[in-house]
Amino acid sequence: MAGHNIPHFQNDGGHRVIEIGVKEFMCTGASVPYDHPHIFIDMGDENEKVCSYCSTLYRYNASLNADQTIPPGSVFHFKAA
């Protein structure tokens, strides 16, 4: 994959809740090799959604950009092979 337009988030810290600035995103679980299938999540009209694989609760925060999270450090970055 050359790139992506949908933000991807991970939960290496084992946080119960991660606040994000988008309502459509991908959850990756944790970093390789502890990741799960990267799944698309759409909050729709809601402001929270739980990942069905890792049970992370993602909460929409309109004050955040797509590349920001609370707690910090939960944005997934693709690494070149």
Side-chain angles (χ1 to χ4, degrees):
M1 177 186 291
H4 59 84
N5 294 326
I6 298 173
H8 287 56
F9 299 102
Q10 64 189 25
N11 190 0
D12 284 342
H15 306 290
R16 188 180 69 76
V17 178
I18 297 176
E19 294 184 28
I20 59 176
V22 296
K23 288 192 164 196
E24 294 181 349
F25 60 97
M26 301 285 284
C27 180
T28 66
S31 295
V32 174
Y34 305 106
D35 59 339
H36 61 57
H38 299 188
I39 62 165
F40 178 75
I41 299 174
D42 182 352
M43 290 186 193
D45 293 334
E46 303 295 321
N47 288 320
E48 296 181 339
K49 197 70 152 191
V50 174
C51 174
S52 59
Y53 277 93
C54 65
S55 299
T56 300
L57 173 64
Y58 288 96
R59 182 174 294 144
Y60 177 67
N61 181 333
S63 69
L64 297 174
N65 294 325
D67 61 350
Q68 296 176 304
T69 62
I70 298 174
S74 296
V75 176
F76 175 84
H77 297 282
F78 285 97
K79 295 182 176 117

